[in-house]
Amino acid sequence: MSHDPNCLFCKIVAGQIPSRKVYEDEHILAFHDIHPWAPVHILLIPKQHLSSLAEATDAHAEVLGRMTVLAPKLMRELGVTNGFRTVINTGADGGQEVYHLHMHVMGGPRPWAKG
């Protein structure tokens, strides 16, 4: 499995930096965002280092599909019942800050309307 020793999220996957885990399997880690924009705001990341969605290939289709299917399951488990938003920021112009692909999943009343 690919790993970047300088990547913040790779360090979280390796257990070098603590996180509030929501879910983990051999391919995906989900944890609470440390700067939430919504009452429930989690990040889903592939454990394998992938710098951004722009770098994804057919080889990543399975893990990306798993992340997409996992998001609503985790939102239900976390009590989100009236909808949620998924966001993948890609590249500098797309607002990506950590260069390890991650899906924001935000639920609660109008999570995108943060002041």
Side-chain angles (χ1 to χ4, degrees), residues 21-96:
K21 292 181 187 177
V22 173
Y23 175 87
E24 182 174 17
D25 67 21
E26 65 182 282
H27 302 288
I28 297 169
L29 177 64
F31 53 93
H32 289 276
D33 193 294
I34 61 168
H35 299 293
W37 279 54
V40 177
H41 183 169
I42 62 173
L43 301 176
L44 277 71
I45 66 171
K47 286 187 169 181
Q48 177 183 11
H49 182 80
L50 174 60
S51 61
S52 79
L53 190 57
E55 304 299 320
T57 67
D58 289 342
H60 302 104
E62 184 175 344
V63 74
L64 293 172
R66 286 182 184 191
M67 289 169 60
T68 303
V69 171
L70 183 59
K73 177 182 183 290
L74 294 178
M75 286 290 105
R76 282 190 301 273
E77 290 176 4
L78 293 168
V80 175
T81 59
N82 198 31
F84 58 91
R85 183 175 189 194
T86 56
V87 176
I88 298 176
N89 299 319
T90 305
D93 287 343
Q96 187 173 1

Side-chain angles (χ1 to χ4, degrees), residues 91-110:
D93 287 343
Q96 187 173 1
E97 295 178 1
V98 176
Y99 281 83
H100 183 123
L101 184 137
H102 54 287
M103 175 189 289
H104 294 263
V105 187
M106 298 167 277
R110 297 179 43 91

